[in-house]
Amino acid sequence: MNKIANRQILCETLLEQARQDRHIVLLASDSRGSASMAPFVKELPEQFVETGIAEQNIVGIAAGLAASGKKPWVTSPACFLSMRAIEQVKVDVAYSGTNVKLIGISGGVSYGALGMSHHSLQDIAVTRAIPGLTIILPADRHETKKMTEALAVHEGGVYVRIGRNPVQDCYESDDYPFEIGKAVTLREGTDLTIIATGETVRVALDTSDALAQESIRCRVLNMHTIKPLDTEAVIKAAKETGHIITVEEHSIFGGLGAAVAEVVVQNCVVPMKILGIPDEPAITGNTAEVFKHYGIDVDSIRAIAVGIVKPT
């Protein structure tokens, strides 16, 4: 069982990059602990800015630093960064074209017991509608490392969402090519495709393995980048497998499923199912409990897939 959270790997990798590039600056909104950034602050305090609980200010400050030639990384809870500071994200980062990396920590239902105020289940829908903003949800610790390395040299505004707790590995190591905007085929298959992002990628992989026991060959696409979406991979999957299921830790409106559906309906119409959180305040509980309640678990997705491929 992996016990290393993505946020810890983000800190370790960003610290490696910041040692070599003194223009990298970390900002936190009283969140250095919850973002696991204490080692960075301890070693490179001169490359750290603490704003306190002021999400609108932290985005504005980061944009100002970027305009001055710095390379700011903002770490703040996803629920507040994507909602309370959305005007600053839209204007100061995206519209102004500043090189700011926005890291929404404890995303999705990571703050499960704290309820709707702390869930971030609309963040992808909101940020996806803003021109000029890249959106990434890494699947595991290995992809988090590759993503951080890629973002260190990437120019432009980016919104990243990572969860709070460790997730099971989707990759065996970080020895693989990572490209922003390019989906990764983690399982081959010809009967249907499950497209997942973030922490649901592991669920998709386990579901594919379960379906193999029923002689259903399920392709799994890790759509780590929601924007720009890998439309080529979506179209290819639709044409080659004929069925698509999307799985996400987000509202069923405006997120991964919506992005994929926009491609499918305009290019290659096939049966499709969008799985996520319905139009209601999500229940409280840990991630596994919330996922199971809403059918974002292996047994539920397997049953849906069987019903699609082998209708009675």
Side-chain angles (χ1 to χ4, degrees), residues 111-266:
Y111 286 132
L114 298 180
M116 188 173 183
S117 64
H118 283 63
H119 293 166
S120 54
L121 297 172
Q122 299 79 33
D123 54 338
I124 307 307
V126 173
T127 54
R128 194 168 71 88
I130 298 176
L133 199 63
T134 297
I135 304 168
I136 304 176
L137 281 70
D140 68 359
R141 55 178 173 156
H142 300 303
E143 191 160 75
T144 299
K145 177 179 174 60
K146 300 291 288 188
M147 174 202 71
T148 305
E149 293 172 343
L151 291 182
V153 296
H154 175 82
E155 289 289 329
V158 180
Y159 176 72
V160 173
R161 188 225 271 183
I162 59 175
R164 183 174 183 81
N165 301 310
V167 293
Q168 286 306 105
D169 291 342
C170 298
Y171 297 89
E172 294 181 357
S173 72
D174 56 28
D175 184 20
Y176 73 97
F178 174 89
E179 184 177 351
I180 295 170
K182 290 296 181 182
V184 181
T185 302
L186 295 177
R187 292 283 191 279
E188 294 289 354
T190 55
D191 293 325
L192 83 157
T193 300
I194 298 178
I195 304 177
T197 189
E199 295 193 16
T200 62
V201 174
R202 183 66 256 176
V203 180
L205 287 171
D206 293 341
T207 302
S208 178
D209 294 341
L211 288 170
Q213 303 301 314
E214 303 188 46
S215 299
I216 295 177
R217 295 165 294 179
C218 175
R219 182 177 305 183
V220 175
L221 285 185
N222 169 17
M223 194 66 71
H224 52 70
T225 306
I226 305 296
K227 188 179 180 183
L229 192 77
D230 189 345
T231 57
E232 182 179 338
V234 173
I235 293 171
K236 186 173 186 287
K239 290 182 176 179
E240 293 180 354
T241 71
H243 308 85
I244 290 178
I245 298 173
T246 61
V247 188
E248 59 192 308
E249 187 180 358
H250 186 271
S251 167
I252 57 173
F253 300 122
L256 170 67
V260 171
E262 289 161 11
V263 175
V264 169
V265 75
Q266 297 180 84

